[in-house]
Amino acid sequence: MAPLPDAVTTLLRTADANALLRDAEGLAEVLTASDWTPEIESGRFAADGWDLLSSAWAPNVSVFFDGAAHAVREAARAVAAAIKAEPNRWTFDSEGPDWSTWAVDDPRWDEDEIDWLVWEGPDVVVSLFTAGETPAGPGTLPSHLHLAIERADTPPEGLPRDDERARRVLREGSVVDRWYLAGEHDLPQDVIEALENDPDPRVRAAAESERWIRERAFEGLPPAE
């Protein structure tokens, strides 16, 4: 089984609600200490060919890896093995088959519908999913995996819009707080404009990136690769 990048294994070891999923500062601190490199877009990091999207409201992390089907399956099996290596921490809670036990050339990967694998901890839920190449608009998505790490106390529908909280973060938050705020959906217009004119260039760049994404979505254009 191919080894996982250190950034991924460290992320799994530090997946808890009191550090990684505490708030924006906790996310950034743990991720950078785990060798994830921040990118321009709010909440986005990268490491060794893996991509990570994170949000501070509510704190959560989604990790993605894509490539050839065999490579994706091998990586997913390695992620599952790393989680299973801590049996006293995680409880397996999936109804479907544990496909992480299949060989990468097992025909069931193509014949069966793959469900999410879910592990629950005392304060965190970890979910793992794989998919083969799938149609997407005019093209296709490559084979990929999705590893999600969320707080156990986050409602299934997420946290509601809170304009006063957004304005408070804008006034009182750190650069990291505001960088994460720039990526939140459905912000009031005054907050968006303030973020686009933030004194810190990292926040301005993140807000500009979000504006560009919104404009392309409004025009019905696909997101850039």
Side-chain angles (χ1 to χ4, degrees), residues 57 155 157-163 165:
W57 182 252
E157 66 276 11
L159 298 180
R161 170 172 168 164
D162 187 337
D163 290 356
R165 169 196 164 272

Side-chain angles (χ1 to χ4, degrees), residues 196-218:
E196 291 177 347
N197 293 281
D198 193 273
D200 192 279
R202 289 166 292 180
V203 178
R204 293 199 304 273
E208 173 67 18
S209 176
E210 292 297 324
R211 182 176 66 81
W212 184 78
I213 292 171
R214 286 195 304 271
E215 289 176 352
R216 288 179 67 86
F218 178 77

Side-chain angles (χ1 to χ4, degrees), residues 24-25 169 172-182 195 198-203:
E25 292 284 352
V169 171
E172 305 170 7
S174 66
V175 171
V176 171
D177 291 325
R178 302 196 307 278
W179 182 68
Y180 268 104
L181 180 65
L195 290 168
D198 193 273
D200 192 279
R202 289 166 292 180
V203 178

Side-chain angles (χ1 to χ4, degrees), residues 122-152:
D123 54 12
V124 172
V125 177
V126 175
S127 307
L128 180 63
F129 180 76
T130 62
E133 188 174 275
T134 53
T140 59
L141 287 175
S143 298
H144 61 278
L145 70 77
H146 178 185
L147 168 67
I149 304 174
E150 303 173 295
R151 293 180 59 100

